[in-house]
């Protein structure tokens, strides 16, 4: 039978993974239970996932690697799939967890790589926190999902109604027998030409035909110049890292950011990037460092309606210079908005997509080298990713989600990433860092709050003067 083989972009997240750089996307979330409904328990969460797994076959599959690395891995059914190993208790403690203990246990989970011999996702449940909420940590490998398709993992759990009915009993599942080494090798050789053809088709989709070819060549050249060849400046954010991770965040009312967006004729993403810039400026000042511009790599969604919510990665990357050197928050916002308008007008994301498609035509060894270069500290200082989440309340077995802080993985040489997820009436902004390489990261949640306050006040003051 035909099996899904990793695309060059999916595969790149395996290339750059190392003992110190774990390539999983994740989230740490809390939920407020409804006292009128049955409590959220580990068994009930497992049963919920069990009833919904048939809608997402990828979650019962693992990777199979052709011998000698002659081709990309393929997804195969895991005959030993055990839901009890995929949905687990965060802690063996029988007493309720304090918020600090919950965060520490989540950090420990995020500091461990996923086992490539098993399905590349896991859910950790903390059904009883001292404040009465329910805690959850979800993680999935970036080779399996991007930020948006990671929502499929949330769909195994979440509903938009607190009284959503229990799913029907799932159909019986019989795994396909896993292929042996010889079969994997034969399939890899047979797929070699098809893999190049798929890459070429992807490149063609990005390039188009006729007159568009010249435009795409121009956009690709611009992407290479702006996003690849322009080296990131030297920064304390780029140093050797350990496997340890910390995750902390700040919840920002989205209405405040929308007011700024409207007043300054910017986008919500521009405003969010400005908040992050102000927080990084505060971090630099706290270290006694002169705030200097940083090169942020920003993922751009390239999903089409045909892609739907299919697993895998459908993203491109563009760079944005974060103007830490500017003191005035509104000047920082205007600078960032001008940059994002420019790369949209030039359609640099299409150029980046075409460039990624061209990499897929290279031999595996050169794909390896390209992936490592693209993930190096020379290419960018940090990743800042803003993911659109549900703008309505969502529920886990009737418990309402009140916060969800996303994890953007760190490649080697990068001590910090920033993720943002819109959730109902708030933007959850998270800092994810290595506490050994960047001990100052502890101050980032407070700096995010301070940066937001400064930007909102500056915008309101300017609007008042104009009035």
């Amino acid at each position: 039978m035909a099996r899904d083989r990793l695309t060059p972009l999916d595969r790149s997240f395996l290339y750059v993974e190392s003992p110190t750089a774990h390539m999983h996307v994740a989230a740490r979330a809390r939920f407020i239970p409804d006292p009128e409904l049955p409590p959220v328990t580990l068994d009930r969460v497992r049963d919920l996932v069990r009833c919904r797994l048939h809608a997402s076959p990828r979650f019962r599959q693992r990777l199979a690697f052709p011998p000698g690395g002659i081709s990309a891995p393929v997804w195969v059914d895991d005959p030993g799939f055990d839901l009890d190993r995929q949905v687990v208790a965060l802690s063996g403690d029988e007493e309720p967890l304090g918020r600090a203990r919950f965060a520490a246990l989540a950090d420990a989970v995020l500091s461990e790589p996923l086992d490539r011999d098993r399905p590349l996702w896991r859910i950790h449940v903390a059904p009883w926190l001292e404040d009465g909420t329910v805690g959850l940590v979800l993680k999935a490998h970036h080779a399996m999902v991007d930020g948006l398709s990671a929502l499929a993992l949330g769909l195994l759990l979440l509903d938009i109604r607190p009284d959503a009915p229990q799913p029907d009993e799932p159909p019986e599942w019989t795994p396909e027998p896993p292929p042996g080494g010889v079969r994997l090798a034969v399939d890899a050789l047979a797929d070699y030409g098809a893999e190049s053809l798929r890459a070429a088709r992807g490149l063609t989709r990005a390039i188009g035909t006729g007159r568009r070819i010249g435009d795409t060549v121009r956009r690709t050249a611009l992407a290479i110049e702006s996003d690849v060849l322009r080296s990131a400046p030297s920064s304390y954010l780029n140093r050797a890292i350990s496997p340890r991770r910390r995750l902390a965040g700040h919840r920002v009312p989205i209405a405040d950011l929308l007011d700024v967006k409207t007043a300054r004729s910017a986008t919500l993403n521009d405003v969010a990037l400005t908040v992050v810039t102000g927080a990084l400026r505060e971090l630099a000042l706290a270290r006694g460092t002169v705030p200097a511009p940083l090169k942020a790599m920003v993922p751009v969604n390239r999903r089409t309606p045909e892609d739907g919510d299919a697993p895998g990665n459908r993203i491109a990357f563009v760079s944005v210079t974060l103007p830490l050197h500017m003191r005035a928050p509104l000047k920082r916002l205007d600078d960032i908005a001008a940059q994002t308008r420019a790369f949209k007008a030039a359609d640099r994301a299409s150029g980046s997509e075409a460039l990624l498609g061209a990499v897929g035509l290279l031999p595996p060894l050169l794909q390896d080298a390209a992936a490592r270069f693209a993930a190096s500290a020379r290419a960018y200082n940090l990743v800042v990713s803003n993911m659109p989440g549900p703008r309505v309340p969502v529920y886990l077995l009737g418990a309402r989600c009140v916060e969800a802080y996303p994890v953007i993985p760190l490649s080697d040489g990068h001590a910090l990433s920033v993720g943002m997820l819109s959730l109902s009436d708030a933007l959850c902004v998270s800092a994810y860092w290595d506490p050994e390489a960047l001990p100052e990261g502890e101050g980032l949640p407070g700096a995010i709050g301070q940066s937001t306050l400064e930007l909102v006040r500056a915008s309101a003051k300017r609007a008042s003067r104009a009035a």
Side-chain angles (χ1 to χ4, degrees):
M1 61 170 290
R3 294 183 175 89
D4 288 342
R5 194 173 296 278
L6 262 65
T7 67
L9 180 56
D10 295 343
R11 187 180 174 187
S12 69
F13 294 108
L14 296 179
Y15 289 153
V16 301
E17 190 162 50
S18 73
T20 52
H22 314 139
M23 290 292 110
H24 48 252
V25 294
R28 188 189 75 206
R30 285 192 311 114
F31 301 79
I32 297 178
D34 184 336
E36 301 298 321
L37 296 175
V40 177
T41 64
L42 176 61
D43 287 341
R44 291 190 69 212
V45 173
R46 281 177 175 162
D47 198 48
L48 182 67
V49 173
R50 180 183 62 83
C51 291
R52 292 179 173 176
L53 271 178
H54 66 281
S56 302
R58 181 71 80 238
F59 290 99
R60 284 194 283 218
Q61 294 181 322
R62 60 175 177 80
L63 288 176
F65 294 81
I70 59 175
S71 185
V74 293
W75 293 104
V76 300
D77 288 347
D78 180 9
F81 178 79
D82 182 356
L83 185 60
D84 289 355
R85 296 196 306 182
Q86 302 299 132
V87 182
V88 299
L90 181 62
S91 166
D93 297 348
E94 295 185 0
E95 296 297 318
L97 300 175
R99 291 276 290 277
R101 175 66 174 158
F102 169 57
L105 289 170
D107 291 341
V109 164
L110 297 172
S111 300
E112 299 173 351
L114 286 158
D115 184 352
R116 294 190 184 184
D117 292 329
R118 289 158 59 175
L120 292 177
W121 63 276
R122 218 165 186 211
I123 297 172
H124 299 257
V125 184
W128 191 14
L129 303 186
E130 284 181 346
D131 61 3
T133 59
V134 175
L136 209 68
V137 180
L138 308 88
K139 56 192 283 194
H141 202 285
H142 215 330
M144 178 181 173
V145 292
D146 59 25
L148 284 178
S149 61
L151 294 177
L153 184 56
L155 293 177
L156 294 177
L157 297 167
L158 304 179
D159 297 287
I160 59 172
R161 290 173 47 194
D163 57 347
Q166 179 72 13
D168 295 333
E169 279 297 308
E172 186 176 349
W173 177 69
T174 302
E176 293 286 340
V182 173
R183 179 79 272 168
L184 287 170
V186 170
D187 288 349
L189 292 174
D191 280 355
Y192 184 76
E195 195 173 345
S196 297
L197 182 60
R198 282 193 295 271
R201 285 174 177 166
L203 181 59
T204 300
R205 183 179 81 163
I207 290 177
T209 57
R211 188 173 60 183
R212 288 183 58 200
I213 293 178
D215 290 339
T216 304
V217 170
R218 175 184 56 80
R219 290 194 298 266
T220 304
L222 184 61
I224 292 173
E225 178 185 1
S226 302
D227 303 323
V228 179
L229 296 182
R230 182 173 63 84
S231 296
S234 176
S235 171
Y236 62 89
L237 297 180
N238 303 115
R239 55 182 67 176
I241 61 173
S242 76
R244 291 185 59 203
R245 296 292 181 269
R246 290 290 311 277
L247 174 68
H250 186 82
R251 191 172 178 276
V252 178
I254 210 163
D256 292 345
L257 304 183
L258 291 174
D259 287 344
V260 177
K261 163 188 174 294
T262 302
R264 304 301 295 175
S265 300
T267 68
L268 182 60
N269 192 56
D270 296 335
V271 177
L273 286 171
T274 305
V275 166
V276 172
T277 301
L280 292 173
R281 175 181 168 85
E282 289 299 316
L283 181 66
L285 291 171
R287 295 184 76 255
T289 305
V290 176
L294 295 172
K295 183 182 178 184
M297 197 57 69
V298 180
V300 177
N301 176 34
R302 300 299 292 173
R303 286 183 175 269
T304 64
E306 292 76 21
D307 293 325
D309 58 357
N313 290 270
R314 305 289 190 277
I315 51 177
F317 299 91
V318 295
S319 63
V320 175
T321 298
L322 304 182
L324 273 68
H325 60 295
M326 294 183 176
R327 296 183 62 181
L330 295 183
K331 287 187 177 180
R332 295 196 289 263
L333 173 57
D334 292 344
D335 182 271
I336 289 171
Q339 290 184 63
T340 60
R341 283 194 293 267
F343 77 60
K344 288 174 185 174
D347 200 7
R348 250 171 46 210
S350 290
S352 174
E353 185 180 25
L355 180 61
L356 291 170
V359 170
L361 298 173
L362 298 174
L365 284 178
L366 292 182
Q367 289 185 29
D368 244 357
R372 291 195 172 94
F373 173 81
S376 69
R378 183 186 182 281
Y380 61 92
N381 297 118
L382 79 162
V383 175
V384 181
S385 181
N386 184 10
M387 291 170 285
R391 298 299 292 272
V392 296
V394 290
Y395 302 86
L396 167 66
L397 296 170
R400 182 170 60 88
C401 186
V402 289
E403 64 181 25
Y405 292 111
V407 165
I408 310 302
L410 302 180
S411 58
D412 279 318
H414 297 88
L416 172 70
S417 66
V418 178
M420 293 171 279
L421 177 69
S422 52
L423 179 67
S424 188
D425 59 351
L427 184 71
C428 297
V429 186
S430 63
Y432 186 60
W433 75 96
D434 173 4
E436 294 184 18
L438 191 67
E440 304 92 337
E442 296 286 352
L444 273 169
I448 291 167
Q450 181 64 27
S451 176
T452 303
L453 186 61
E454 288 180 353
L455 180 61
V456 170
R457 283 178 172 174
S459 178
K461 187 175 182 180
R462 180 70 61 87
S464 176
R465 285 178 179 173

